[in-house]
């Protein structure tokens, strides 16, 4: 993922023009920051954005290892000249840092940055499988290009990669490969089908949206060998609505999931418009070859761009999981002061619900991070439940029996009560006949960050706007809410619809108040959470794999 449509090199291409801070100093600052998440993927230091190359490969002992590459700047916690950072796990929740896997060249198609992409297994004629990166290269060209690198043999941790200089770029600029002058063309989803490779790249097609607007687009290509690609046309095109689907689609990801009436194709994209990362969207329908007929469209996350550029992976056990980028919510001076910026969401399992919408839930392995139980309470009509903590897994169930009934959870409450971050869930409507998709849901979830910190406080967030949207309740108003709080990282799930956000709060504000008096048959449980990284991080061994 890039953040510009300029036709010249966007980022500085020489170290002399870059912000650079010694890694040891960045690491020292990052480890000391009390706002840094403890069990969400973060960089050891520096900048993190899009997940890349999410894949599974045999480790040194032959057992499967999950690889997460990501957009990274190891020189400073700012968005410049991105590399591919690298972490591995055997259970999706405990992670180990590995060295930077891919860096921009001094010249050539990726001299301005190695941007987002994927890792697939190239099938060679001798039957071997060679892990292969396909990524977006940024240089002084009208659009980004597709580049390729292969893993060196004999390296089960996939720490050494070789760019195929003679082949790169394997897909040239939009003018050369598509035959159109497009504003952008970047990011990749690649799959093999019927003996041929296919991929989509994110873009925008002028004049193809509603009323002649530019519509976001997923452009499809095919190849026999991952190196020579033919443009097949757009897989899907958006309506160009700047309030929803945007004018450019970034980070397309294509998956196929079982649904109530058979298999369903799911395309996720990240909507972008005029330098702004807007939100991630899902689209369901049926793909025939290189075209997809879209049926339903919805928001992946009510937190807008706090769950961005999601990339999914089919696990060996059959689950489809997805990870997204949780953007930072601080000014650049604050990021430089704390030595890190950006984290990932908790891995989420994707599924299709009976109403045809896409739902997301924390993977089961997240429960292995629970340490001490803080609350276990049943009943209704009682006074608010109070606890403390900034690293919590909280589960609340029950029923909102009447329209207008709701529950309120205050987080990061200060000792004097003047500061708090308020989450509220309301039964907003009764079921309506004929409504489809997220528009048929009867709940409303809101996050109010307006009183999270004193204005001008060093930890105050740059963004405090309310985040809200529809969530599914059961036919009798049943509530299934799960809240994951990890210092400055918040993820809330209501029956599979997430709301993610970054919180700017005083680390000393750790009060939590749950008011569920309107919830019939209420049940509340909460646990403290442990660490995702071993002490010292670099060089730590991966943890044993948890059972799903």
């Amino acid at each position: 993922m890039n953040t510009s449509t300029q036709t010249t090199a966007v980022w500085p291409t020489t170290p002399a023009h870059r912000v650079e801070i010694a890694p040891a100093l960045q690491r020292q600052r990052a480890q000391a920051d009390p706002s840094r998440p403890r069990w969400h993927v973060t960089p050891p230091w520096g900048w993190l954005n899009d997940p890349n190359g999410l894949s599974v490969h045999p480790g040194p002992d032959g057992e499967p290892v999950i690889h997460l590459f990501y957009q990274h700047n190891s020189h400073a916690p700012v968005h410049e000249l991105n590399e591919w950072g690298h972490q591995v796990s055997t259970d999706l929740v405990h992670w180990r840092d590995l060295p930077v896997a891919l860096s921009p060249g001094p010249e050539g198609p990726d001299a301005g940055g190695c941007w987002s992409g994927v890792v697939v297994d190239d099938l060679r004629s001798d039957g071997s499988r060679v892990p292969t990166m396909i990524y977006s290269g940024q240089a002084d060209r009208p659009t980004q290009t597709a580049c390729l690198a292969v893993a060196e043999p004999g390296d089960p941790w996939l720490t050494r990669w070789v760019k195929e200089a003679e082949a790169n770029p394997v897909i040239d600029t939009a003018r050369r490969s598509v035959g159109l002058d497009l504003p952008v063309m970047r990011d990749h989803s690649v799959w093999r089908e019927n003996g041929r490779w296919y991929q989509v790249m994110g873009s925008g097609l002028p004049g193809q949206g509603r009323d002649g607007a530019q519509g976001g687009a997923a452009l499809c290509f095919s190849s026999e060998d991952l190196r020579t690609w033919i443009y097949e046309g757009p897989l899907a095109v958006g309506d160009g609505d700047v309030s929803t689907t945007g004018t450019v689609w970034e980070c397309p990801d294509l998956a196929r999931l079982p649904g109530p009436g058979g298999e369903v194709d799911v395309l996720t994209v990240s909507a972008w418009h005029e330098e702004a990362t807007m939100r991630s969207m899902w689209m369901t329908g049926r793909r025939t070859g290189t075209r997809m007929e879209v049926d339903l469209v919805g928001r992946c996350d009510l937190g807008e761009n706090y769950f961005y550029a999601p990339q999914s992976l089919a696990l060996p056990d059959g689950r489809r999981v997805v990870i997204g980028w949780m953007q930072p919510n601080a000014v650049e001076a604050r990021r430089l002061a704390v030595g890190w910026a950006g984290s990932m969401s908790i891995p989420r399992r994707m599924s299709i619900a009976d109403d045809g919408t896409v739902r997301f839930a924390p993977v089961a392995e997240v429960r292995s991070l629970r340490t001490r139980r803080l609350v276990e309470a049943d009943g209704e009509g009682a006074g608010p439940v109070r606890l403390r903590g900034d690293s919590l897994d909280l589960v609340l169930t029950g029923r909102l029996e009447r329209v207008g009934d709701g529950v309120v959870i205050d987080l990061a409450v200060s000792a004097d009560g003047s500061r708090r971050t308020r989450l509220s869930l309301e039964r907003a409507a009764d079921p309506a006949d004929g409504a489809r998709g997220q528009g048929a849901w009867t709940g409303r979830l809101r996050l109010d960050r307006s009183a999270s910190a004193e204005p001008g406080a060093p930890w105050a967030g740059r963004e405090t706007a309310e985040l809200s949207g529809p969530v599914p309740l059961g036919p009798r108003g049943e509530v299934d809410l799960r809240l994951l709080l990890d210092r400055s990282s918040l993820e809330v799930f209501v029956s599979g619809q997430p709301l993610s956000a970054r919180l700017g709060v005083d680390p000393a504000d750790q009060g939590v108040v749950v008011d569920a008096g309107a919830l019939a048959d209420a049940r509340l449980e909460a646990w403290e959470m442990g660490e995702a990284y071993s002490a010292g991080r670099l060089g730590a061994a991966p943890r044993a794999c948890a059972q799903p």
Side-chain angles (χ1 to χ4, degrees):
M1 192 274 294
N2 203 328
T3 56
S4 179
T5 60
Q6 298 179 32
T7 57
T8 56
V10 176
W11 305 113
T13 57
T14 61
H17 297 147
R18 289 173 10 203
V19 177
E20 189 152 0
I21 303 173
L25 180 57
Q26 292 185 79
R27 182 176 184 175
Q28 179 185 14
R29 293 174 179 177
Q31 290 180 340
D33 180 22
S35 297
R36 188 186 193 193
R38 301 171 61 218
W39 41 275
H40 285 69
V41 168
T42 58
W45 59 78
W47 173 271
L48 171 149
N49 62 289
D50 304 359
N52 296 154
L54 188 59
S55 51
V56 178
H57 299 277
D61 58 0
E63 293 299 310
V65 172
I66 300 159
H67 292 257
L68 171 62
F69 301 88
Y70 56 91
Q71 292 288 278
H72 182 42
N73 180 5
S74 62
H75 303 280
V78 295
H79 193 221
E80 304 184 324
L81 201 61
N82 277 17
E83 311 158 311
W84 275 36
H86 189 190
Q87 297 189 23
V88 293
S89 175
T90 55
D91 66 355
L92 286 167
V93 292
H94 296 92
W95 295 91
R96 173 190 178 188
D97 296 297
L98 291 176
V100 169
L102 193 70
S103 296
E107 57 186 21
D110 66 4
C114 298
W115 299 98
S116 293
V118 295
V119 171
V120 296
D121 282 336
D122 188 8
L123 307 177
R124 298 295 173 87
S125 58
D126 61 1
S128 62
R129 295 174 175 265
V130 180
T132 302
M133 289 180 178
I134 299 175
Y135 65 97
S136 291
Q138 171 72 48
D140 55 349
R141 304 181 182 211
T143 64
Q144 299 80 8
T145 59
C147 299
L148 187 145
V150 297
E152 287 191 5
D155 177 19
W157 291 115
L158 305 185
T159 59
R160 301 188 299 272
W161 296 83
V162 178
K163 301 174 188 178
E164 293 202 353
E166 294 184 0
N168 287 334
V170 295
I171 297 179
D172 213 325
T173 62
R175 166 50 66 185
R176 291 176 175 269
S177 59
V178 177
L180 298 172
D181 287 322
L182 301 179
V184 296
M185 191 174 75
R186 55 184 179 240
D187 313 329
H188 315 265
S189 180
V190 180
W191 71 97
R192 189 168 177 82
E193 186 175 278
N194 298 325
R196 192 168 180 82
W197 289 102
Y198 295 87
Q199 74 162 298
V200 288
M201 292 182 70
S203 188
L205 290 177
Q208 298 302 301
R210 187 178 301 162
D211 299 325
Q214 177 174 296
L219 307 182
C220 195
F221 300 79
S222 70
S223 172
E224 292 184 354
D225 62 359
L226 292 175
R227 289 154 178 81
T228 302
W229 293 87
I230 299 171
Y231 178 55
E232 300 283 358
L235 179 80
V237 181
D239 60 11
D241 185 342
V242 297
S243 67
T244 53
T245 59
T247 55
V248 166
W249 287 352
E250 300 191 285
C251 303
D253 185 88
L254 188 64
R256 182 164 286 175
L257 298 175
E263 289 191 323
V264 177
D265 289 302
V266 181
L267 174 66
T268 59
V269 300
S270 292
W272 184 94
H273 176 65
E274 293 183 351
E275 309 293 333
T277 55
M278 295 169 58
R279 65 185 59 84
S280 55
M281 309 287 296
W282 56 256
M283 305 169 200
T284 61
R286 187 65 185 176
R287 179 179 59 83
T288 303
T290 60
R291 300 293 184 272
M292 180 173 172
E293 183 177 348
V294 175
D295 179 29
L296 287 178
V297 178
R299 296 159 69 182
C300 293
D301 194 292
L302 303 180
E304 302 290 19
N305 63 2
Y306 289 112
F307 180 77
Y308 200 78
Q311 190 168 111
S312 73
L313 167 68
L315 293 178
D317 61 17
R319 291 178 294 169
R320 171 71 67 166
V321 298
V322 61
I323 295 176
W325 168 40
M326 298 187 70
Q327 301 197 28
N329 182 15
V331 298
E332 184 173 294
R334 175 67 178 165
R335 299 170 193 167
L336 294 171
V338 297
W340 70 280
S343 65
M344 296 299 177
S345 71
I346 279 293
R348 303 171 179 184
R349 183 174 184 176
M350 298 175 63
S351 63
I352 304 294
D354 289 342
D355 65 357
T357 59
V358 182
R359 307 288 179 92
F360 304 87
V363 294
E365 290 86 343
V366 172
R367 292 196 296 264
S368 69
L369 293 168
R370 293 172 176 171
T371 54
R372 182 169 65 97
R373 185 187 294 271
L374 299 173
V375 173
E376 184 175 13
D378 294 284
E380 56 188 276
V385 176
R386 302 177 185 275
L387 59 149
R388 287 187 59 81
D390 65 353
S391 180
L392 303 172
D393 185 351
L394 184 151
V395 177
L396 179 64
T397 59
R399 295 193 320 279
L400 294 173
E401 298 184 310
R402 294 172 298 276
V403 173
D405 286 350
V407 300
V408 173
I409 303 175
D410 283 339
L411 305 169
V413 181
S414 62
D416 63 3
S418 64
R419 298 184 297 276
R420 56 108 179 103
T421 299
R422 173 158 291 181
L423 182 78
S424 58
L425 172 63
E426 177 189 16
R427 181 169 177 175
D430 286 325
D433 293 335
R436 297 184 68 224
Q438 293 178 333
W441 292 349
T442 58
R444 188 82 183 177
L445 187 65
R446 293 183 174 86
L447 181 69
D448 179 359
R449 298 175 292 169
S450 62
S452 294
E454 296 291 342
W459 42 77
R462 177 172 52 90
E463 298 173 358
T464 59
E466 178 182 282
L467 300 169
S468 66
V471 292
L473 304 179
R476 297 193 301 145
E478 291 90 348
V479 168
D480 182 359
L481 182 151
R482 188 168 180 189
L483 183 153
L484 299 173
L485 176 64
D486 187 7
R487 292 179 167 175
S488 62
S489 171
L490 174 67
E491 295 177 85
V492 182
F493 300 81
V494 178
S495 299
Q497 176 59 47
L499 186 156
S500 303
R502 187 75 67 196
L503 305 183
V505 299
D506 186 333
D509 295 345
Q510 297 191 16
V512 178
V513 182
V514 181
D515 186 351
L519 196 64
D521 298 328
R523 178 169 178 79
L524 172 66
E525 296 180 275
W527 298 263
E528 284 185 347
M529 299 290 273
E531 297 273 357
Y533 295 92
S534 299
R537 293 194 60 160
L538 290 177
R543 297 282 294 270
C545 187
Q547 294 299 313

